[in-house]
């Protein structure tokens, strides 16, 4: 969303977007399609890749034995591809997940910036996935998708105050809609990364991770924790650090 006086403005309104669709009209995305999209984006000039998607299982052994080996192979291939693009200077950000337990893949990969979700009060969203893989947190709303529709069906009037705790996102035909989840949190971080690279195009993925951690606002338990990582992202502090030649590190 551009900063043009019409509607809302995005985190990084002047950057160029490359919109790659990996989900069919119904059902989930395949590992091969996601991996292909990562390769395409990296090969066509993307500086930041946002992956608002992920697996829901916590342990590979939760899967049906008939598909387990194929999933393991697909994840290894995806991790190798991500490691390659990060080594070439591309930053990869992903949503931690919305299962209120473990971080999913690809956010769980070490070279991916895993993002959890916070509420309007800067608390951990009740649905957010959490774990040692979370690097930072960002706004994602206070209500899960199912809770939203359950409340909507029960009494729309009582739902109105709840809408104020969710995020607003552009939709087709110049419309807006309510949105919640770590899939909303991750692109906020991606937008901040884009702003940082706009300030200093030669930042490495490692430097960007370090700045995000150093400038995050501590939430929850003192210091790093599994719900917020280093804390809630602070765009202004991150940009100030970059502008000051990384003096925050």
């Amino acid at each position: 969303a551009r900063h043009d006086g019409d509607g809302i403005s995005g985190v990084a309104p002047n950057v160029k977007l490359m919109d790659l669709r990996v989900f069919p009209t119904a059902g989930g995305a395949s590992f091969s399609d996601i991996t292909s999209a990562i390769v395409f984006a990296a090969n066509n000039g993307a500086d930041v890749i946002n992956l608002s998607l992920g697996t829901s299982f916590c342990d590979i052994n939760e899967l049906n034995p008939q598909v387990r080996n194929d999933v393991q192979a697909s994840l290894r291939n995806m991790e190798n591809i991500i490691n390659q693009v990060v080594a070439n200077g591309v930053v990869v950000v992903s949503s931690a997940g919305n299962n209120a337990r473990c971080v999913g893949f690809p956010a769980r990969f070490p070279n991916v910036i895993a993002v959890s979700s916070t509420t309007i009060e800067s608390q951990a969203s009740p649905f957010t996935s959490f774990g040692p893989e979370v690097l930072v947190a960002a706004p994602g709303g206070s209500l899960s998708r199912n809770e939203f529709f359950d409340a909507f069906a029960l009494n729309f009037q009582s739902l109105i105050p709840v809408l104020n705790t969710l995020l607003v996102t552009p939709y087709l035909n110049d419309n807006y809609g309510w949105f919640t989840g770590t899939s909303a949190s991750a692109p906020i971080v991606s937008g901040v990364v884009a702003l940082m690279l706009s300030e200093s195009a030669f930042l490495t993925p490692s430097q960007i991770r370090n700045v995000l951690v150093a400038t995050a606002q501590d939430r929850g338990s003192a210091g790093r924790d599994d719900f917020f990582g280093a804390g809630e992202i602070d765009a202004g502090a991150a940009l100030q650090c970059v502008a000051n030649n990384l003096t925050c590190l």
Side-chain angles (χ1 to χ4, degrees), residues 142-154:
S142 304
L143 207 65
S144 72
R145 175 185 172 89
N146 289 339
E147 288 172 329
F148 176 87
F149 284 111
D150 286 347
F152 183 87
L154 183 65

Side-chain angles (χ1 to χ4, degrees), residues 16-157:
K16 294 181 180 178
L17 297 180
M18 185 188 305
D19 187 10
L20 303 179
R21 180 170 180 169
V22 297
F23 284 90
T25 53
S30 70
F31 290 115
S32 61
D33 284 345
I34 296 169
T35 302
S36 296
I38 292 170
V39 172
F40 182 92
N43 289 343
N44 286 273
D47 298 305
V48 187
I49 296 176
N50 182 80
L51 299 169
S52 286
L53 45 79
T55 60
S56 59
F57 57 82
C58 288
D59 190 316
I60 197 74
N61 292 318
E62 296 177 17
L63 302 179
N64 187 313
Q66 294 179 323
V67 302
R68 192 179 300 157
N69 289 339
D70 288 341
V71 170
Q72 284 180 314
S74 296
L75 288 174
R76 281 195 297 270
N77 181 54
M78 183 182 293
E79 183 175 19
N80 288 337
I81 292 297
I82 288 174
N83 289 343
Q84 290 174 23
V85 302
V86 172
N88 289 330
V90 179
V91 179
V92 181
V93 180
S94 182
S95 50
N98 306 316
N99 63 15
R101 47 185 198 140
C102 63
V103 174
F105 294 101
R108 204 188 298 189
F109 295 138
N111 275 327
V112 174
I113 295 174
V115 184
S116 62
S117 173
T118 57
T119 69
I120 195 171
E121 298 88 6
S122 292
Q123 302 296 316
S125 299
F127 54 78
T128 190
S129 295
F130 57 90
E133 303 87 357
V134 172
L135 188 77
V136 289
S142 304
L143 207 65
S144 72
R145 175 185 172 89
N146 289 339
E147 288 172 329
F148 176 87
F149 284 111
D150 286 347
F152 183 87
L154 183 65
N155 185 343
F156 179 75
Q157 291 300 319

